[in-house]
Amino acid sequence: QPRVVVLPADLLRIRRDAQPSAESGTTDMFVVRPDGVFAYPYIGTVKAEGRTPEDISNEITARLASIYREPHVTANIASSPGNHVFVGGAVRNPGVFDLTAGVTAEQAVMSTGGLIPQADARHIALIRLDAHGVRQVYFFNFADLLKDSAGGRSRPIFLQRGDLLFVPLSPIGRAVHTMDLYITQLLPWFHGVGFGMNYQINDAASLRYNSSGNTTNNF
């Protein structure tokens, strides 16, 4: 299931519940640095990347227990510039897509224009950061997912921020891709070789006449 987790560049609003209203304001806002942490007054740095706002609230509350009589804080994501998912591989228009609402894996793939003919629809990979900060890979069959969804027999795969969908090439698709690579990159070289050899064969200066009158190619 998707989780709401904090990512670098997120703006967090963290406020102590017993904090007087006069003390609230810009001091409640904290930006998560590129290394995934932010600094909180009196307790130092707090790791935020990959964690839920509730996890962050609990840690800060525990660390403030020796400072305040009522240490409980509430953390929320005020703004999230990294609120998107990534779709790549064998799709028509790979790219980054905004995650403004609940988006399923099927919708994300279709938003790219769909799969290309060489795609392996049976082994689409969903790469997701888990609760321990480790990226996990889950595979699913796109065709079966659409069929089951149409029949109302399966739950949709909802995406979370930072998810990556990768569509690999099928074995036939890889063969076609390899052949295309050789044709587009090596064929011009072969054309050049063929032209050079024909030029040498038809060039009178490249022919050497021996005393017997026989002609041999001079390569």
Side-chain angles (χ1 to χ4, degrees):
Q1 294 297 318
R3 301 164 56 245
V4 177
V5 296
V6 176
L7 298 177
D10 281 355
L11 180 64
L12 305 180
R13 178 181 287 109
I14 305 175
R15 187 175 186 276
R16 190 166 59 88
D17 297 351
Q19 178 178 323
S21 300
E23 297 181 10
S24 62
T26 57
T27 56
D28 298 341
M29 311 302 287
F30 302 88
V31 177
V32 181
R33 302 185 324 213
D35 58 356
V37 304
F38 66 94
Y40 193 85
Y42 306 120
I43 63 174
T45 58
V46 178
K47 176 177 171 51
E49 182 180 8
R51 303 178 65 185
T52 64
E54 292 76 17
D55 290 340
I56 297 172
S57 297
N58 293 335
E59 178 183 341
I60 295 177
T61 297
R63 296 172 66 177
L64 289 176
S66 61
I67 302 174
Y68 294 104
R69 181 177 300 176
E70 299 181 21
H72 190 271
V73 301
T74 300
N76 288 292
I77 301 175
S79 66
S80 51
N83 195 29
H84 43 244
V85 297
F86 306 84
V87 184
V91 294
R92 297 189 183 278
N93 298 293
V96 181
F97 300 90
D98 291 334
L99 195 64
T100 56
V103 176
T104 65
E106 308 97 292
Q107 292 171 336
V109 171
M110 297 306 295
S111 68
T112 66
L115 308 178
I116 64 174
Q118 297 85 4
D120 183 357
R122 298 172 301 172
H123 300 97
I124 297 180
L126 167 62
I127 305 172
R128 171 173 292 174
L129 193 69
D130 67 11
H132 305 288
V134 179
R135 294 202 175 274
Q136 301 290 344
V137 182
Y138 308 90
F139 292 93
F140 62 91
N141 188 325
F142 188 68
D144 289 346
L145 192 62
L146 291 178
K147 179 179 64 178
D148 292 344
S149 296
R153 296 188 300 271
S154 68
R155 291 183 178 181
I157 300 177
F158 283 98
L159 301 179
Q160 72 180 37
R161 300 193 312 142
D163 276 354
L164 189 151
L165 284 174
F166 180 78
V167 182
L169 291 171
S170 66
I172 295 178
R174 287 195 297 270
V176 172
H177 177 73
T178 302
M179 182 62 67
D180 180 68
L181 180 67
Y182 277 103
I183 290 176
T184 57
Q185 295 193 17
L186 295 183
L187 192 57
W189 182 80
F190 281 118
H191 279 180
V193 172
F195 174 79
M197 293 181 66
N198 291 334
Y199 178 81
Q200 292 293 333
I201 291 174
N202 294 297
D203 185 5
S206 66
L207 300 179
R208 177 172 53 85
Y209 294 89
N210 56 26
S211 58
S212 62
N214 295 327
T215 303
T216 59
N217 290 330
N218 182 24
F219 294 106

